[in-house]
Amino acid sequence: MKKQISTLFLILIILSTANAQLFSILGGQRVGTSSAAFLKIAVGARAEGMGGAFVGVADDPSCLYWNPAGAAQLKSDAVLFNHIEWPADIKYEYIGIVHHIGRWGTLGFSAISLHMDDMEETSEYFPSGTGNYFTFGDFAAAISWSLKMTDNFSFGITGRYLQEDLAGLTMRGGMLDLGTYYKTGFRDMTFAVTLANFGPDMRPGGSYMNPVEGGDEIETKYQAFPPPTVFRLGSAISVYRNLTTRWLVSIQLNHPVDNAENIALGSELQTLKFLFIRGGYKVNYDEEVYSFGAGLEIPFKTYTLTVDYAYSDFGLLGDSQRFSLSFWL
């Protein structure tokens, strides 16, 4: 049975890389139909270094973003700080805290801030700028709870509040993440399923004057759009492991409401116990194709520090770089 599971995992990887057409591209017409797009930005340099194929890994504090069920499996409390250099001079900050509360489970706290410099307003008559500036920024805060039902199975839930501000308009909303995590006991193999960003449609507050026939105007509310809900199915396995070296590979199938189905493949090589080298490949994405990264694990007397870096190629949009610091207490 164990050989059959391992063989099936490898077949999925080979088929995914060999033929991207196995997965429907018909969902491409849904692009741009969701709100709160900043929630789709992957958290954690380690996770992105593995191409975002992290739902089935979820064994560091970034699991609060990827799969809250993974928090219950962490061996100690931990804190993660993540900084992302996004295209178009956009900055992204994330903090995640995991704290075990004994038989009551595990709590997690996380916050996201996406921000950039003020932008100058332009118009038809002043294409180079009017001299007036406006602001743009996103914020989200979440609390997670997870519980180990057995040594191998856990589930988790996250409640999130978010706010988007653009040029005086504000949109607020709430949503849920649900996740499960299962360890098979064979070569560190895991299976995981998550439903992220599930919630009601959102719209900016207030209204605007909409021109109608006859030269009149009517007061109209802004259009509402659904959140970027995504269903993820992932698995990971150690294809090789000894006292100092571990080679972990992962695969993840994503079904978003606002795009076509896609696949992420990831790999992490741990050597000398403290050095990590990572790579990832994405199938059926518009611009993102590959990523790579590295990490160091540095033990101290009372805690362990991990430092991670990841680079992602965005094709015509340029690139993105991520930096993460994790403290294991």
Side-chain angles (χ1 to χ4, degrees):
M1 182 64 180
K2 292 181 179 180
K3 289 184 178 179
Q4 292 174 341
I5 293 176
S6 181
T7 301
L8 177 60
F9 184 89
L10 294 175
I11 289 174
L12 286 173
I13 294 178
I14 293 171
L15 289 176
S16 301
T17 55
N19 190 356
Q21 297 305 315
L22 288 173
F23 300 91
S24 171
I25 61 173
L26 297 178
Q29 72 270 19
R30 301 194 299 263
V31 174
T33 58
S34 68
S35 57
F38 75 101
L39 295 178
K40 298 190 288 184
I41 299 176
V43 166
R46 181 186 176 213
E48 182 59 20
M50 298 179 66
F54 208 70
V55 164
V57 181
D59 59 359
D60 69 24
S62 69
C63 67
L64 299 177
Y65 170 86
W66 293 101
N67 184 357
Q73 300 288 343
L74 300 189
K75 296 181 179 180
S76 68
D77 294 350
V79 181
L80 179 141
F81 299 94
N82 183 206
H83 171 75
I84 302 175
E85 295 285 338
W86 202 244
D89 295 325
I90 298 174
K91 314 296 182 184
Y92 183 104
E93 320 296 339
Y94 174 89
I95 181 173
I97 302 172
V98 175
H99 176 61
H100 296 279
I101 52 176
R103 64 188 181 93
W104 300 105
T106 303
L107 287 178
F109 305 91
S110 58
I112 296 171
S113 174
L114 184 144
H115 57 95
M116 63 184 303
D117 294 338
D118 290 351
M119 292 179 284
E120 188 173 8
E121 179 185 77
T122 60
S123 68
E124 179 182 358
Y125 300 104
F126 299 93
S128 298
T130 64
N132 298 320
Y133 288 80
F134 65 93
T135 60
F136 166 73
D138 296 326
F139 172 79
I143 182 170
S144 304
W145 176 73
S146 58
L147 181 68
K148 290 178 68 173
M149 302 298 293
T150 69
D151 289 340
N152 294 332
F153 177 78
S154 61
F155 74 94
I157 183 171
T158 295
R160 180 179 297 106
Y161 165 83
L162 66 90
Q163 178 174 310
E164 289 196 306
D165 295 291
L166 173 61
L169 293 175
T170 299
M171 180 174 67
R172 299 181 178 90
M175 56 192 64
L176 294 174
D177 295 352
L178 302 171
T180 61
Y181 190 89
Y182 177 68
K183 295 181 178 180
T184 66
F186 171 66
R187 291 184 177 273
D188 305 323
M189 191 174 190
T190 61
F191 288 104
V193 177
T194 66
L195 179 67
N197 306 323
F198 176 76
D201 293 358
M202 297 181 294
R203 72 172 83 234
S207 60
Y208 66 98
M209 301 308 296
N210 185 25
V212 295
E213 291 185 11
D216 295 329
E217 292 183 335
I218 59 174
E219 187 174 2
T220 306
K221 289 185 177 181
Y222 292 97
Q223 185 175 356
F225 290 93
T229 306
V230 57
F231 174 82
R232 300 181 177 119
L233 172 65
S235 183
I237 187 173
S238 293
V239 296
Y240 177 79
R241 184 166 193 169
N242 61 25
L243 293 177
T244 60
T245 303
R246 181 195 186 199
W247 182 19
L248 177 70
V249 297
S250 59
I251 181 172
Q252 183 173 303
L253 286 72
N254 304 307
H255 179 82
V257 299
D258 60 350
N259 211 328
E261 291 76 12
N262 53 74
I263 283 181
L265 303 170
S267 178
E268 177 184 70
L269 177 64
Q270 178 185 8
T271 184
L272 303 176
K273 290 188 176 181
F274 64 87
L275 177 63
F276 299 83
I277 301 172
R278 307 178 181 108
Y281 185 77
K282 300 180 179 181
V283 181
N284 204 29
Y285 279 69
D286 293 329
E287 290 293 334
E288 300 176 70
V289 179
Y290 66 87
S291 61
F292 58 83
L296 290 174
E297 185 176 286
I298 308 169
F300 291 91
K301 288 185 178 181
T302 57
Y303 66 92
T304 298
L305 171 67
T306 59
V307 182
D308 296 302
Y309 167 81
Y311 171 93
S312 303
D313 174 65
F314 278 78
L316 297 175
L317 298 177
D319 58 54
S320 171
Q321 299 185 69
R322 287 170 171 80
F323 306 87
S324 293
L325 290 176
S326 298
F327 297 88
W328 298 84
L329 307 177

